[in-house]
């Protein structure tokens, strides 16, 4: 009699245990998934807020309209080559002045200084990050990969405008390009 | 709490604890007994503590004077990385799991942990994780050299080839922690003796309960982020690779979303231990028990919304900096509640100063110093200066060494009589305490000033003006390292014999664990005690 009761409670406890375990495992898998969900969430969040200085990666459409001549924005260009890419890469002019709403065209120079063919990819970033959402690229070499044969050189164009809505306190933007060697990734 | 103990351990028949009879190595390999597993965790963590400490000794020897003397910069990076990983995942965390295993069932009047077999597994996979991690020193690649925070792209694009081993080791540690945490939650929820309601549980039990939830919530995030690291390094994904459209800053967000709760995983159990010991040696009840419970819970909650205080210099917008600054400072409120409660517990108590109490009092004072430097770091504008300097190193060693580690020492001295059945040598214990106390401050306090003066962390060489302070810091380091051998002697002597310990060796101690004999019999509370 007593043993029966003990058995029963033991079963009870086991049922209770597995219920709790199941719930906890749900949290475990949920949080594992949440870790991965953070990746697209972060992208969306940054897209909306421009937090990480990423600019548009699809060409913006420019329609000639208002130009706010009361404001002049300085746009500076800087370039950097990531470790391991033997290219020369620099802006042709270092900065331009532009009114919000006005379209500008600038050039960047690149030369493959090695004796092998390399595919490059330039990744842009705007500082201050909050300005990224207002920096609109109409045409950019960074939209595509850039293959250069050994010792080949090229001038690459960037066409852009600064949005009229750019917050008042921002008067200078820095557009930075980092150039990566993606030959390996393209091949495979 | 009055208790009626019916746990005479011969009174149960017809039970089949086969592990009881095994001998030799098999007993330890197959054991499902919470006390055996607790002991193994504690010994494992102590061995890891010595290995991690040995690495730190090499670091301090290199930093004894400016210039490069003993190790190459790349090897120096491996030393700091593995030192950090071993101390966090190998020394501090397993030590707390050891305490949980030993004490939780006895404190809630349960015969064992709820899931004994899982318990065996979660311990026995740990040595493999650390064999891989430490073994990587002897591989061609060398050990991980990207810091215990393994920021991408250091651990991806610029990895020395150790990333795969590192990821594998972290996965095993994570699985072990998750299984351990599930066991703790199930035990506390389902195995409490009749009458022990949640608000009657000792605070020790509460802190482990909340910590286990934190582990269950954030260890999977760690597993996720190292998986992304692995695929970025070896399978061509671009989670953190800007060239492929990813963002290295995202790594830091995910890592610290795990990382900040992780630091509370390492301190909440310490709060529990100290909240047990201070009342015992003040001969008073813990002041403000329920406020302690709520403070612990709110610290755990807040720990999820402060992670970016590690990232102030990554170029966050002003709003983000303000948000994370204020949230971080908010944590000081529940933490302050705890410190004041400990002080109020001691206030007008009839205090005595045995070794556990000495370590606990040192904990309260020195942890608070670490909290204050934390508050300074939480101020965004000044963090721009302090970030990645020795000031940060000073901060987290005050909270982790004089915080977490001191609480572990305090708890070990407090329960050693229960574990071994003998009293430890009080004189040697006090020698260990005073040697540790003096050397630890010589070791870590000057680091504050080095950091304020601009000495960067994780660099094997430094400017000449830092030479004097570094010499003293290194001397403190060697002294602290040696002092820990005293602890080893105390423990071994205490296991071998000594004055017989009564069931309750501490006059003011409370809790069910003191109602059973010393040493605690292999099986306790096979019949639950009655609590009213
Ligand atoms: C009063 C509460 C605390 C505050 C306000 C605080 C604040 C901070 C801040 C702002 C940093 C970043 C510093 C920087 O990198 O520039 C930091 C770093 C750190 N804190 Fe705390 N902290 C507190 C308590 C703790 C506790 C209790 C622990 C662990 C037991 C801890 C462990 C760490 C660690 C390990 C780091 C350095 C991580 C690394 O970069 O390697 N902190 N803390
Ligand atoms: Cu933190």
């Amino acid at each position: 009699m007593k043993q029966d009761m003990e058995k029963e409670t033991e079963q009870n406890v086991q049922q209770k245990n597995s219920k709790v375990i199941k719930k906890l495992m749900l949290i475990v898998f949920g949080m594992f998934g949440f870790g991965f969900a953070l990746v697209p969430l972060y992208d969306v969040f940054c897209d909306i807020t421009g937090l990480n200085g990423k600019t548009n990666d699809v060409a913006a459409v420019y329609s000639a309209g208002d130009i706010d001549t009361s404001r002049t924005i300085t746009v500076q260009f800087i370039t950097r080559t990531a470790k391991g890419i033997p290219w020369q890469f620099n802006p042709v002019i270092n900065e331009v002045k532009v009114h919000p709403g006005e379209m500008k065209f600038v050039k960047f120079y690149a030369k493959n200084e090695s004796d092998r063919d390399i595919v490059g990819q330039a990744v842009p970033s705007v500082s201050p990050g909050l300005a990224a959402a207002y920096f609109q690229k109409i045409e950019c070499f960074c939209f595509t990969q850039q293959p250069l044969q050994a010792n080949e050189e090229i001038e690459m164009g960037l066409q852009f405008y600064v949005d009229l809505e750019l917050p008042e306190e921002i008067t200078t933007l820095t557009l930075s390009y980092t150039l990566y060697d993606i030959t390996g990734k393209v091949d495979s | 709490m009055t208790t009626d103990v019916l746990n005479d351990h011969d009174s149960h028949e017809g039970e089949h604890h086969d592990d009881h009879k095994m001998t030799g190595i098999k007993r330890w390999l197959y054991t499902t007994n919470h006390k055996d597993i607790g002991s193994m965790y504690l010994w494992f963590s102590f061995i890891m503590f010595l290995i991690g400490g040995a690495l730190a000794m090499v670091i301090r020897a290199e930093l004894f004077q400016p210039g490069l003397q003993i190790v190459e910069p790349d090897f120096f990076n491996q030393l700091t990385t593995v030192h950090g990983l071993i101390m966090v995942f190998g020394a501090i965390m397993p030590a707390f799991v050891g305490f949980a295993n030993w004490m939780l069932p006895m404190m809630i009047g349960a015969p064992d942990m709820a899931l004994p077999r899982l318990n065996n597994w979660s311990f026995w996979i740990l040595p493999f994780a650390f064999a891989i991690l430490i073994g990587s020193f002897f591989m061609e690649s060398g050990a991980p050299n990207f810091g215990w925070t393994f920021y991408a792209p250091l651990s991806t694009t610029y990895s020395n080839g150790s990333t795969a081993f590192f990821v594998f080791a972290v996965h095993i540690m994570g699985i072990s922690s998750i299984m351990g945490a599930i066991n703790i939650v199930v035990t506390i929820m389902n195995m409490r003796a009749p009458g022990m309601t949640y608000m009657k549980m000792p605070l020790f039990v509460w802190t482990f309960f909340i910590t286990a939830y934190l582990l269950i919530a954030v260890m999977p995030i760690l597993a996720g982020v190292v998986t992304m690291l692995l695929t970025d390094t070896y399978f061509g994904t671009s989670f953190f690779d800007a060239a492929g459209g990813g963002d290295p800053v995202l790594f830091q967000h995910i890592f610290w979303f795990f990382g900040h709760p992780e630091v509370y995983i390492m301190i909440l159990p310490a709060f529990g231990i100290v909240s047990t010991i201070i009342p015992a040696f003040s001969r008073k009840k813990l002041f403000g028990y329920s406020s302690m419970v709520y403070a612990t819970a709110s610290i755990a909650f807040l720990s999820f919304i402060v992670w970016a205080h590690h990232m102030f210099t990554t170029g966050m917008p002003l709003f983000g900096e303000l948000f994370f600054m204020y949230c971080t400072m908010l944590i000081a409120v529940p933490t302050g509640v705890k410190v004041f409660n400990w002080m109020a517990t001691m206030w007008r108590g009839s205090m005595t100063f045995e070794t556990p109490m000495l370590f606990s009092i040192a904990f309260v004072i020195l942890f608070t110093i670490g909290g204050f430097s934390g508050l300074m770091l939480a101020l965004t504008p000044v963090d721009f200066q302090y970030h990645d300097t020795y000031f940060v190193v000073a901060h987290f060693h005050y909270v982790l060494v004089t915080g977490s580690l001191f609480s572990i020492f305090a708890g070990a001295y407090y329960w050693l009589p229960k574990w071994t059945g003998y009293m430890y040598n009080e004189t040697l214990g006090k020698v260990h305490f005073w040697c540790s106390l003096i050397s630890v401050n010589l070791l870590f306090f000057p680091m504050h000033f080095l950091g304020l003066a601009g000495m960067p962390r994780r660099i094997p060489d430094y400017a000449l003006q830092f030479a004097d302070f570094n010499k003293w810091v290194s001397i403190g380091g060697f002294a602290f390292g040696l002092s820990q051998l005293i602890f080893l002697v105390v423990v071994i002597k205490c296991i071998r014999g000594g004055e017989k310990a009564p069931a309750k060796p501490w006059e003011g101690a409370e809790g069910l664990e003191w109602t059973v004999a010393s040493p605690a019999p292999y099986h306790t509370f096979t019949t639950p005690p009655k609590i009213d």
Side-chain angles (χ1 to χ4, degrees):
Chain A
M1 184 60 204
K2 190 179 164 229
Q3 273 193 342
D4 276 3
M5 255 171 63
E6 254 174 29
K7 247 197 196 137
E8 205 160 68
T9 49
E10 206 164 283
Q11 258 180 4
N12 255 340
V13 168
Q14 284 207 334
Q15 265 176 5
K16 263 168 67 185
N17 285 357
S18 56
K19 238 169 91 183
V20 180
I21 296 171
K22 270 184 203 138
K23 276 187 199 150
L24 295 176
M25 285 312 285
L26 227 65
I27 305 183
V28 170
F29 288 118
M31 289 307 280
F32 188 73
F34 180 67
F36 283 87
L38 282 174
V39 179
L41 281 175
Y42 178 76
D43 276 347
V44 171
F45 193 69
C46 290
D47 235 24
I48 297 170
T49 57
L51 278 187
N52 61 352
K54 271 196 194 168
T55 51
N56 58 314
D57 48 10
V58 185
V61 184
Y62 178 71
S63 51
D66 288 350
I67 294 178
D68 181 358
T69 48
S70 67
R71 293 177 68 193
T72 305
I73 312 294
T74 309
V75 181
Q76 306 172 322
F77 305 105
I78 53 178
T79 56
R80 202 175 76 82
T81 47
K83 191 177 162 186
I85 178 160
W87 284 20
Q88 197 190 325
F89 175 47
N90 50 265
V92 173
I93 42 168
N94 289 326
E95 64 173 54
V96 292
K97 307 248 183 233
V98 48
H99 302 302
E102 176 193 9
M103 188 173 73
K104 279 276 173 184
F105 185 76
V106 292
K107 283 190 165 167
F108 287 73
Y109 169 81
K111 178 173 186 204
N112 180 353
E113 292 184 318
S114 75
D115 44 15
R116 60 194 165 92
D117 303 351
I118 289 176
V119 185
Q121 168 78 59
V123 175
S125 167
V126 166
S127 181
L130 284 180
Y134 306 95
F135 184 85
Q136 304 292 358
K137 293 183 269 93
I138 302 158
E139 177 59 59
C140 177
F141 55 93
C142 59
F143 289 155
T144 56
Q145 300 162 350
Q146 185 62 56
L148 281 189
Q149 285 159 10
N151 291 311
E152 190 185 345
E153 55 186 344
I154 192 176
E155 277 200 354
M156 306 175 294
L158 162 68
Q159 203 171 15
F160 70 91
Y161 68 94
V162 175
D163 208 294
L164 287 166
E165 319 279 284
L166 182 75
E168 281 298 322
E169 68 272 16
I170 299 178
T171 55
T172 304
L173 292 183
T174 309
L175 173 64
S176 141
Y177 281 106
T178 307
L179 189 73
Y180 293 92
D181 179 355
I182 56 163
T183 318
K185 286 198 179 172
V186 176
D187 286 348
S188 56
Chain B
M1 200 189 309
T2 45
T3 48
D4 174 12
V5 186
L6 311 161
N7 74 304
D8 169 7
H9 117 159
D10 303 314
S11 72
H12 55 276
E13 317 94 50
E15 295 208 19
H16 39 83
H17 293 279
D18 32 16
D19 48 16
H20 202 153
K21 290 174 196 95
M22 286 202 206
T23 50
I25 182 81
K26 275 196 176 159
R27 159 170 172 198
W28 299 103
L29 276 178
Y30 296 133
T31 183
T32 55
N33 179 285
H34 71 103
K35 300 185 182 85
D36 282 351
I37 294 176
S39 302
M40 290 197 295
Y41 264 111
L42 289 168
W43 274 112
F44 177 79
S45 95
F46 192 64
I47 292 165
M48 286 298 128
F49 174 61
L50 293 180
I51 295 176
L55 301 180
M57 295 299 100
V58 184
I59 295 175
R60 278 327 311 178
E62 174 57 52
L63 294 174
F64 188 72
Q65 38 176 307
L68 294 177
Q69 285 88 31
I70 305 176
V71 294
E72 294 290 310
D74 179 60
F75 187 66
F76 184 88
N77 291 345
Q78 299 178 22
L79 289 173
T80 51
T81 303
V82 180
H83 164 73
L85 288 168
I86 287 188
M87 288 308 198
V88 167
F89 294 104
I92 301 288
M93 289 169 67
F96 284 136
V97 184
F99 276 102
N101 265 296
W102 250 104
M103 305 318 299
L104 284 183
M106 290 210 275
M107 285 185 168
I108 62 175
D112 203 313
M113 297 294 278
L115 313 163
R117 284 222 168 74
L118 190 76
N119 209 4
N120 173 290
W121 273 97
S122 45
F123 174 76
W124 274 113
I125 61 177
L126 262 192
F128 293 96
F130 285 91
I132 294 169
L133 181 64
I134 297 168
S136 60
F137 268 120
F138 305 101
M139 292 177 202
E140 211 179 326
S141 60
N145 61 357
F146 28 71
W148 83 276
T149 51
F150 54 98
Y151 279 11
L154 294 178
S155 51
T156 53
T157 317
Y158 304 112
S159 158
N160 58 358
S162 57
T163 302
F165 295 117
F166 163 79
V167 170
F168 194 44
V170 170
H171 268 308
I172 301 177
M173 296 170 202
I175 291 171
S176 163
S177 293
I178 290 174
M179 296 199 301
I182 288 180
N183 207 350
I184 289 174
V185 171
V186 178
T187 306
I188 295 175
M189 286 181 77
N190 292 349
M191 309 273 287
R192 278 167 293 128
M196 181 170 287
T197 56
Y198 279 111
M199 288 315 267
K200 273 191 191 161
M201 296 193 311
L203 198 79
F204 179 96
V205 179
W206 260 112
T207 55
F208 277 80
F209 193 41
I210 292 170
T211 304
Y213 267 111
L214 279 181
L215 276 166
I216 290 169
V218 300
M219 286 318 264
I221 303 267
L222 175 68
V225 75
V226 294
T227 307
M228 294 180 215
L229 211 68
L230 188 77
T231 59
D232 262 19
T233 314
Y234 298 102
F235 303 110
T237 57
S238 299
F239 288 106
F240 311 127
D241 182 7
D247 188 341
V249 175
L250 171 65
F251 172 88
Q252 296 187 29
H253 280 294
I254 305 181
F255 176 80
W256 286 115
F257 188 77
F258 147 80
H260 190 80
E262 165 69 19
V263 308
Y264 282 99
I265 287 167
M266 293 188 283
I267 202 67
L268 294 185
F271 292 168
I273 292 174
V274 169
S275 302
T276 313
I277 294 173
I278 288 182
F281 294 96
S282 307
R283 291 162 183 78
K284 276 175 64 187
K285 282 231 177 307
L286 179 67
F287 185 87
Y289 168 84
S290 50
S291 71
M292 286 296 230
V293 173
Y294 295 124
T296 312
S298 38
I299 290 176
F301 170 75
L302 286 172
S303 74
F304 283 102
I305 52 166
V306 298
W307 76 90
H309 64 214
H310 297 272
M311 304 170 55
F312 284 141
T313 57
T314 54
M316 267 192 283
L318 187 65
F319 172 79
E321 290 179 337
L322 289 174
F323 175 82
F324 287 109
M325 175 169 106
Y326 287 126
C327 285
T328 304
M329 294 173 74
L330 209 58
I331 295 199
V333 176
T335 313
V337 168
K338 294 197 163 271
V339 173
F340 283 118
N341 281 349
W342 292 321
M343 293 189 337
T345 307
M346 288 188 268
W347 180 252
R348 298 201 164 162
S350 33
M351 289 178 27
T352 51
F353 300 94
E354 287 84 347
T355 313
M357 185 61 164
L358 290 175
F359 271 107
S360 300
I361 295 173
F363 169 95
V364 174
I365 296 167
L366 298 177
F367 170 77
T368 305
I369 293 181
F372 280 142
S373 58
L375 271 178
M376 289 170 70
L377 290 166
L379 299 164
T380 312
V382 297
D383 184 66
F384 273 67
Q385 183 192 340
Y386 304 159
H387 180 63
D388 267 351
T389 68
Y390 262 76
F391 192 83
V392 179
V393 180
H395 159 64
F396 66 72
H397 283 93
Y398 264 89
V399 283
L400 281 170
V401 176
T402 59
S404 311
L405 182 66
F406 269 30
S407 83
I408 290 168
F409 285 143
Y413 282 109
Y414 184 62
W415 283 299
L416 261 177
K418 182 57 58 188
W419 296 339
T420 65
Y422 300 108
M423 299 305 287
Y424 61 87
N425 183 322
E426 187 65 52
T427 317
L428 267 184
K430 288 204 165 109
V431 172
H432 172 224
F433 169 74
W434 286 108
C435 286
S436 297
L437 183 78
I438 294 166
S439 58
V440 87
N441 282 295
L442 184 58
L443 167 57
F444 294 124
F445 206 76
M447 285 186 184
H448 290 114
F449 304 114
L450 283 170
L452 293 179
M455 178 170 159
R457 62 189 282 209
R458 292 171 167 162
I459 309 278
D461 190 6
Y462 48 81
L464 283 182
Q465 80 252 31
F466 303 131
D468 285 353
F469 271 35
N470 269 292
K471 182 182 72 185
W472 287 111
V473 166
S474 284
I475 291 172
F478 302 141
F480 185 71
L482 285 177
S483 309
Q484 304 324 309
L485 300 180
I486 306 174
F487 181 65
L488 183 65
V489 172
V490 174
V491 172
I492 290 177
K493 277 178 70 130
C494 182
I495 292 172
R496 289 258 183 93
E499 189 194 327
K500 277 245 166 257
K504 189 173 126 180
W506 313 117
E507 187 197 342
E510 278 199 39
L512 290 177
E513 75 264 34
W514 306 112
T515 60
V516 303
S518 296
Y522 201 60
H523 297 290
T524 37
F525 298 120
T526 40
T527 326
K530 280 209 196 85
I531 294 150
D532 30 44

